[in-house]
Amino acid sequence: MNALGNAFSLLAGGERETWWTIATSLRFSLWSTVFAVIPGVPLGAALFLGRFKGKRVAVAMVNAIMAVPTVVVGLFVYSFISRSGPLGSLNMLYAPAGVIAGQALLAFPLVTAMSYTGLQKLDPRYNETLLTLGARPWRRMIAIIREGRFVIVQAVLAGFGRVTGEVGVSMMLGGNIRWYTRTMTTTIALDAGKGEFERALSLGIVLLGVALSINFLSHLAVRDAR
Amino acid sequence: MHADAVRNDAVRNDAVRNDAVRNAPAFSVSRLTFRYERKVAVSCDSLEIHRGETVAFTGSNGSGKTTMLKLLNGLLGPYDGRIDFLGLPLARNPLLRDRSVFVHQHPVLFSGTVKDNFEYALRLKRVRGAEAAKRIAMTVERFSIGPLLEREAGRLSGGETQRVAVARAVAAGADVILLDEPTSSMDSASGSAIRAFLLELRRSGTTLVFSTHDASLVLDLAGRSVRFESGRVVDEPSTGGTL
């Protein structure tokens, strides 16, 4: 109980390192979500609109990639951005850019798959009407994304939630460097390991708040869609 | 020399295409089979629909009428066999989206006003500004839908929505219109308004193909009816009703 009280005190007292970690974590998550959404939402819409051979295989692949463990994603990106990797000269390893790249890769299949499955719930007449009126593919994509904006919001929120709560990628690619790449989840892992529960608990409370907020906003998006 | 030869080939191909377009029927279907989840949904050995014709697809629910209309408009595929639109294969037919529109049983209008819907449909055809305004004004006058123009599309009745959807297709330049049960689930006043609408289109030479269960609509409007049964075109009476 004492630890929990101290955890609240850290947050309420504005303890600098705790709030820096929260802000950094959210900043990384925001950017990685942006980089996942830019290709993910159009790809989800293209999968929805496209009529091509192998579509089922493509959808199955996106769904399969979604289930890849975060450390495997981390390892994959590590092999590219490590000193000996093809992108080693960019010095992204153990830097914010590395964490953001890994998290973006983690969220990308989730955003794509959720956009695709969400758009499938749209009235099929909408797409057919655009098609019959002669809307070109990119026009249809824009119109479909606009019409399905509520399910897209859900996909974006899910992507944000996924990267905010992950630890494997941040640890492997960021190195958990204090005042540089340390995030909420890596701090929790480190502090809990050291037996210092106050900060871990305070960050856990914030993570819980983020998760609840995302669920609430997601619920609002679904309600508005109806 | 090579450039000249390529140019001559292109000119020759255009001439052949234009000739085909000028003389060909609106639709020509041969040995068509469309399967949905391995089950034959539509099968048709031969069907021709000529320009300016009004053809009714009749048959019970699930007999393949709507599927055939969607196939003719390139909304479904792939299929075995061949469908030509104005003398050219349906796939990648440059004329299909310029001249043909499918109207659903319960049409979709986009958000905004009726005028927004017309403008959007014209924008898709790259018609903007004064030309768009002129086309909208002509369509509104022709179909007497002025009072609907500034109304929210989502607040229109079923009959009004159907009329706006057809008018939108005409404004967008379609002269081949495919309609799925245009008068179903409508009161008699709305049904009459749609009927008058379609008669006006028929008079102006628009090719109309529609599915229906309404025998009086077939008698009043269709020059010919095609009956569907379990996905097959089972007969094709040569004449239908009168105007």
Side-chain angles (χ1 to χ4, degrees), chain A residues 11 17 20 39 48 64 73 76 80 85 108 114 118 121 141 153 155 181 203 208 220 223:
Chain A
L11 290 173
E17 189 169 351
W20 183 91
F48 168 71
V73 174
F76 179 74
F80 275 83
F108 166 68
M114 281 197 69
K121 292 173 195 159
M141 188 181 283
V153 166
T181 57
L203 295 175
L208 191 66
L220 283 184
R223 196 191 63 180

Side-chain angles (χ1 to χ4, degrees), chain B residues 63-211:
Chain B
S63 60
K65 307 184 296 292
T66 303
T67 305
M68 186 60 153
L69 288 173
K70 287 188 176 183
L71 282 166
L72 292 177
N73 197 238
L75 297 176
L76 292 175
Y79 50 80
D80 294 326
R82 183 172 174 135
I83 303 175
D84 284 355
F85 176 66
L86 298 175
L88 300 169
L90 204 63
R92 287 188 283 279
N93 185 324
L95 302 168
L96 181 69
R97 299 292 168 226
D98 283 343
R99 299 189 48 182
S100 163
V101 166
F102 171 80
V103 180
H104 289 92
Q105 183 178 356
H106 302 289
V108 170
L109 298 181
F110 304 116
S111 54
T113 63
V114 169
K115 191 179 177 190
D116 292 336
N117 269 268
F118 282 119
E119 285 173 345
Y120 185 69
L122 286 165
R123 220 168 29 245
L124 294 176
K125 299 282 161 60
R126 295 176 179 160
V127 180
R128 295 164 193 269
E131 175 60 22
K134 190 175 140 196
R135 279 219 216 168
I136 293 169
M138 279 170 62
T139 309
V140 165
E141 191 186 334
R142 181 177 173 192
F143 297 108
S144 310
I145 52 171
L148 302 179
L149 203 59
E150 297 299 335
R151 298 240 326 253
E152 278 296 316
R155 293 183 183 275
L156 300 180
S157 70
E160 289 168 340
T161 301
Q162 185 75 249
R163 284 159 60 199
V164 169
V166 177
R168 182 178 64 182
V170 174
D175 61 356
V176 178
I177 301 182
L178 306 145
L179 304 109
D180 188 20
E181 306 204 17
T183 57
S184 72
S185 32
M186 267 181 211
D187 57 44
S188 60
S190 298
S192 299
I194 286 291
R195 204 173 287 239
F197 222 68
L198 297 179
L199 281 168
E200 157 60 20
L201 284 172
R202 177 182 164 152
R203 266 194 289 272
S204 67
T206 301
T207 307
L208 293 174
V209 187
F210 61 94
S211 65

